[in-house]
Amino acid sequence: MLGSIWPKIRNKIGTWRGGELPGIAVIGLVMLARLNGYLQFSEWITLDTFLRLRPYEPMDERVVIVGIDEEDIQDVGTYPIPDQDIARLLRRLQTYKPRAIGLDIVRDLPVEPGHEQLVETFEDIKNLIAIEKVLPTKIKPPPGFPPERVGFSDVLFDGDGNVRRSLLGTPTPEGGKFSLSLRLAKTYLTVEGISLENGIKNPDGMMFGSTELPRFLPNSGGYVGTDAGGVQVLLNFRSGRERFRILLLKDIKTENFNPSWIRDRIVIVGVTTPSIKDTVNTTAIKGLNPPGEIYGVEFHAHATSQILSAVLDQRSLLRTWSDPWEYLWILGWGFLAIGLGRLTQSPFKNLFGVGVASFGLVGVGYVFLVWGWWIPVAPALLILVINSLLFPAFYHYDQALRSQINVRQRTIDETFNIIHNGPMQTLAYIITRIQNQDLPEDELLLKLKTIKDDIWEIADYLKQ
C-alpha cells in the first residue's frame, strides 16, 4: 500500500517544485519589497492615475480663488504687491460679504507704501485668515495678528516631489498650529452649526459633526515608514475642467463678476503667475497647464474643499485598509496567479487568463478609489505579471525534465531486460555445464563470444 502511495506523493512534490513553490517565492519577494518601501513609487503612480481618470465633478462654488497674475503685477508696477494694494483688495472683497477670506500671501514684513492701512484692514476684517510657515523654515504671520486667525501654508512633498497629503495641524514649540485650509473650513462650518472636535476612531484625529477625517499613518496605503507627524490626511483632489471659480485682481478692481459668486463663500487670495514660483507638483489632476503643476493657492482650495465636501456633501475622503487586510489581498491575488498557471498550463491560455485577471484587478482598484478606498493594486499586478511569465517556464522545464527522467528510466529497464535475457542466461548455462563437467572447449569459446557480442550490442543501444 505504502509503495503505491509514495510515487504519487513524490510526483505531487515534484509538481509543486515545478511551479507553485517559485510562485510562492515571488509572492514573498514582492511582499518583502513592499515592506521595505521599494514599491512606493509604483503605488503613488497608480493612485495618481486613478484620481486623474475619475469622472468629472461639478465646480465647488463654495471656494473662490482670487489670483494675482502677471498682468496684475505689471499693472501695479512692482512685486511684492505693496500693502496698500492688498488692503484695498481685502476691503473690496469684504463688501461682498464672503464667509471667510484666506490671504495666501506672506506679510511678515511691511511692504510700503500702505503698511498702516493694511494693519487697520487686518484689525477690521474679523473673518480674515493670514498665513505663516512652520515647517521646516519658519515665516511669521503679520505682526500682532490674532493666533486664532492664523493658518500655516506648509505643504508636504513625497519622495517623487509630488503632493498627495494635506497637513491640517502640527505641534510646535509655541503650541499647536492649524493649517490655512482647516482654519477656513472651520470658519465656514461654524456658521452651519458644525464644530471641530477630536476623532472617535482616532482620538488624535479630527472630525466635523459626524464626519471624521481619516488620519494618515506612517504605512497608510502604499506609504512605508513615512513621517506622519501632526494630523495629516490623504488629499482627494477635485476633478473636473473647472474645479473652482477663479477671479483675478483686475476683475475685482473693475467689478467684472457676479457679486453672488463671492457672497457667503470662502475666498482665497494668492499669486497665480509662473514668474513668482508658488507652485506644487501633482499628477493627480487632468488638464493642467503647465502639466503636473498647480499654484499654491489652488492647493489650499483643494484642501479646503475636501473638508467642506466631505462634511456637507458626503463626498468620499481617501481611506486605506489596515496592513493585515492589504497583505491578505496581495496574497490572494498571488495564489490566483498560481491557480491560473496550474489550470491553464498552456502559455497562451495562461497569458489570456492573467490578462483578464489583471484588467479585473485594475478595474476593482479603480472602482474602490472612486468609492474613496485606496487599495494595493501595483503589488498584486506585479505578482500576476511575474507569475504569468514564471509559471509556464517552470512548468515546461519541469515537463522536459520529467520526460528526460522517464526516457532514462525506460532505458535502464530495457537494458536490464536485455542483460537478463541475453548474457545472464548464457552465463547461467555455462556455469551449469561447467559444474556438470560436460562443456566442450569449443562450445565454451562460442558461448563466451556470444556474451561478448551481446555486451557490444548493449553498449551501442545505450549510446543511442
Side-chain angles (χ1 to χ4, degrees):
M1 183 69 176
L2 185 60
S4 63
I5 294 176
W6 175 246
K8 295 180 180 179
I9 296 175
R10 186 170 58 187
N11 181 65
K12 187 64 179 175
I13 293 173
T15 302
W16 271 78
R17 289 176 58 205
E20 281 85 348
L21 290 183
I24 292 174
V26 169
I27 296 173
L29 289 173
V30 170
M31 285 187 171
L32 187 63
R34 188 175 193 262
L35 282 167
N36 284 278
Y38 295 118
L39 300 184
Q40 280 190 122
F41 184 69
S42 61
E43 295 201 69
W44 291 341
I45 291 176
T46 304
L47 172 64
D48 289 351
T49 302
F50 283 168
L51 289 173
R52 196 167 56 249
L53 294 176
R54 287 173 305 162
Y56 282 157
E57 300 176 88
M59 176 193 297
D60 187 352
E61 296 185 357
R62 289 177 296 239
V63 180
V64 179
I65 295 173
V66 173
I68 300 174
D69 67 0
E70 189 64 32
E71 187 177 338
D72 291 324
I73 294 174
Q74 295 298 325
D75 183 53
V76 172
T78 183
Y79 190 87
I81 303 294
D83 286 349
Q84 66 179 10
D85 293 273
I86 298 296
R88 289 170 188 163
L89 171 62
L90 294 176
R91 286 195 179 276
R92 181 160 293 184
L93 287 173
Q94 185 64 7
T95 62
Y96 298 105
K97 301 187 183 325
R99 194 173 293 190
I101 301 175
L103 181 61
D104 185 32
I105 298 175
V106 172
R107 272 299 181 267
D108 58 329
L109 298 174
V111 181
E112 298 291 358
H115 180 63
E116 290 298 326
Q117 183 180 348
L118 182 61
V119 171
E120 292 176 3
T121 301
F122 286 162
E123 293 175 353
D124 294 341
I125 302 178
K126 304 302 183 183
N127 60 344
L128 174 65
I129 309 296
I131 63 166
E132 63 178 337
K133 287 186 179 292
V134 295
L135 300 172
T137 304
K138 297 184 183 298
I139 299 178
K140 293 182 178 181
F145 214 82
E148 66 275 10
R149 287 170 47 200
V150 175
F152 60 78
S153 61
D154 299 84
V155 178
L156 301 175
F157 296 95
D158 289 333
D160 60 352
N162 288 319
V163 173
R164 299 178 182 88
R165 294 169 287 150
S166 173
L167 179 63
L168 301 181
T170 185
T172 69
E174 295 82 26
K177 302 278 189 177
F178 287 159
S179 69
L180 172 65
S181 57
L182 187 73
R183 289 286 190 194
L184 292 171
K186 182 175 180 293
T187 303
Y188 188 97
L189 293 172
T190 298
V191 178
E192 302 287 335
I194 302 173
S195 60
L196 173 64
E197 300 173 359
N198 290 106
I200 296 175
K201 294 180 181 178
N202 188 330
D204 294 326
M206 300 178 180
M207 65 184 298
F208 285 96
S210 60
T211 303
E212 184 165 352
L213 307 180
R215 189 178 180 187
F216 175 85
L217 300 175
N219 295 326
S220 290
Y223 289 87
V224 178
T226 304
D227 182 2
V231 179
Q232 306 175 28
V233 294
L234 289 169
L235 192 52
N236 189 3
F237 288 97
R238 197 167 192 87
S239 65
R241 298 184 187 278
E242 294 182 354
R243 296 164 287 278
F244 308 102
R245 179 168 282 114
I246 299 178
L247 303 175
L248 297 175
L249 175 58
K250 57 179 167 288
D251 295 326
I252 306 300
K253 287 180 176 179
T254 60
E255 299 184 350
N256 183 28
F257 63 94
N258 188 334
S260 64
W261 293 349
I262 293 180
R263 186 179 303 276
D264 212 32
R265 319 289 187 187
I266 291 176
V267 178
I268 309 178
V269 180
V271 177
T272 56
T273 175
S275 64
I276 310 299
K277 197 64 177 177
D278 182 17
T279 60
V280 297
N281 296 329
T282 176
T283 56
I285 304 175
K286 182 164 53 176
L288 295 180
N289 186 24
E293 282 188 357
I294 59 174
Y295 293 110
V297 66
E298 188 175 355
F299 167 82
H300 297 303
H302 278 283
T304 306
S305 172
Q306 168 172 272
I307 298 173
L308 298 182
S309 299
V311 176
L312 300 176
D313 304 332
Q314 287 73 53
R315 180 177 181 263
S316 297
L317 293 160
L318 289 183
R319 307 173 188 271
T320 60
W321 288 341
S322 62
D323 282 349
W325 282 109
E326 288 189 338
Y327 284 99
L328 186 62
W329 166 266
I330 296 170
L331 189 67
W333 283 97
F335 277 104
L336 174 63
I338 293 173
L340 287 173
R342 290 289 299 137
L343 289 172
T344 56
Q345 296 183 355
S346 164
F348 296 106
K349 291 181 180 178
N350 184 60
L351 285 173
F352 176 77
V354 169
V356 172
S358 298
F359 277 112
L361 169 62
V362 172
V364 169
Y366 173 77
V367 170
F368 265 76
L369 190 77
V370 172
W371 290 343
W373 288 95
W374 178 24
I375 63 175
V377 172
L381 189 61
L382 181 62
I383 291 175
L384 277 173
V385 172
I386 293 178
N387 276 340
S388 70
L389 302 174
L390 186 68
F391 191 92
F394 269 93
Y395 175 79
H396 287 290
Y397 170 77
D398 179 71
Q399 292 299 103
L401 184 61
R402 289 174 182 278
S403 177
Q404 292 179 1
I405 292 172
N406 291 335
V407 168
R408 292 184 181 185
Q409 187 61 49
R410 286 197 301 270
T411 301
I412 291 171
D413 293 340
E414 291 178 13
T415 302
F416 175 81
N417 290 332
I418 293 172
I419 293 175
H420 179 269
N421 297 327
M424 292 298 294
Q425 295 294 331
T426 304
L427 283 173
Y429 174 79
I430 291 173
I431 291 171
T432 301
R433 291 292 300 276
I434 290 176
Q435 288 175 345
N436 294 333
Q437 298 181 354
D438 61 349
L439 182 62
E441 184 179 347
D442 57 344
E443 185 178 353
L444 175 61
L445 292 173
L446 180 62
K447 293 297 183 182
L448 290 174
K449 183 177 180 302
T450 300
I451 292 173
K452 174 188 173 185
D453 293 340
D454 288 344
I455 291 174
W456 277 113
E457 288 181 5
I458 292 169
D460 291 338
Y461 170 73
L462 291 176
K463 287 179 182 180
Q464 295 175 9

